[in-house]
């Protein structure tokens, strides 16, 4: 049994990037939802919301979540070997 890790396929890396973007957006929406609830509950004025075009802090937060998710999933794809089905010899 060999313990070498093969480089992942392009399709696996592309899937990790796409899934990382989707997960990053979802995490951003969840965090901004909780920050908005905290703002309304405590009466604070934290300038984080879903309006990334008007607020640089929200845009930076979105970029951090997306890049972090993409990097995490690409690392996981890179370190996890692909599942290869072993060929079972057929008895004839």
């Amino acid at each position: 049994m060999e313990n070498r890790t093969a480089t992942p396929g392009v399709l696996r890396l592309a899937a990790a990037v796409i899934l990382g973007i989707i997960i990053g957006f979802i995490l951003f929406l969840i965090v901004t939802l909780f920050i908005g609830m905290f703002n309304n509950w405590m009466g604070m004025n934290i300038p984080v919301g879903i309006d990334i075009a008007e607020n640089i802090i929200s845009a930076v937060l979105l970029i951090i979540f997306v890049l972090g998710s993409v990097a995490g999933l690409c690392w996981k794809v890179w370190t996890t070997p692909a599942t290869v089905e072993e060929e079972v010899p057929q008895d004839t």
Side-chain angles (χ1 to χ4, degrees), residues 4-8 12-13 71-82:
R4 66 182 180 99
T5 304
T7 57
R12 287 181 68 203
L13 285 175
L73 287 172
C74 284
W75 172 79
K76 189 65 178 170
V77 165
W78 199 269
T79 58
T80 305

Side-chain angles (χ1 to χ4, degrees), residues 34-46:
F34 282 116
I35 289 175
M37 286 183 355
F38 187 73
N39 275 339
N40 288 337
W41 181 50
M42 296 297 289
M44 301 177 118
N45 195 15
I46 300 173

Side-chain angles (χ1 to χ4, degrees), residues 85-92:
E85 295 181 13
E86 296 181 14
E87 295 182 17
V88 178
Q90 297 177 354
D91 294 333
T92 57

Side-chain angles (χ1 to χ4, degrees), residues 5-84:
T5 304
T7 57
V10 177
L11 189 60
R12 287 181 68 203
L13 285 175
V17 168
I18 293 169
L19 187 62
I21 291 171
I22 293 170
I23 289 174
F25 272 108
I26 291 171
L27 287 176
F28 170 75
L29 291 175
I30 290 171
V31 167
T32 54
L33 175 74
F34 282 116
I35 289 175
M37 286 183 355
F38 187 73
N39 275 339
N40 288 337
W41 181 50
M42 296 297 289
M44 301 177 118
N45 195 15
I46 300 173
V48 175
I50 297 177
D51 54 345
I52 60 171
E54 297 177 2
N55 192 351
I56 191 72
I57 296 173
S58 296
V60 169
L61 189 65
L62 175 65
I63 290 171
I64 289 172
F65 276 117
V66 168
L67 289 180
S69 298
V70 168
L73 287 172
C74 284
W75 172 79
K76 189 65 178 170
V77 165
W78 199 269
T79 58
T80 305
T83 55
V84 179

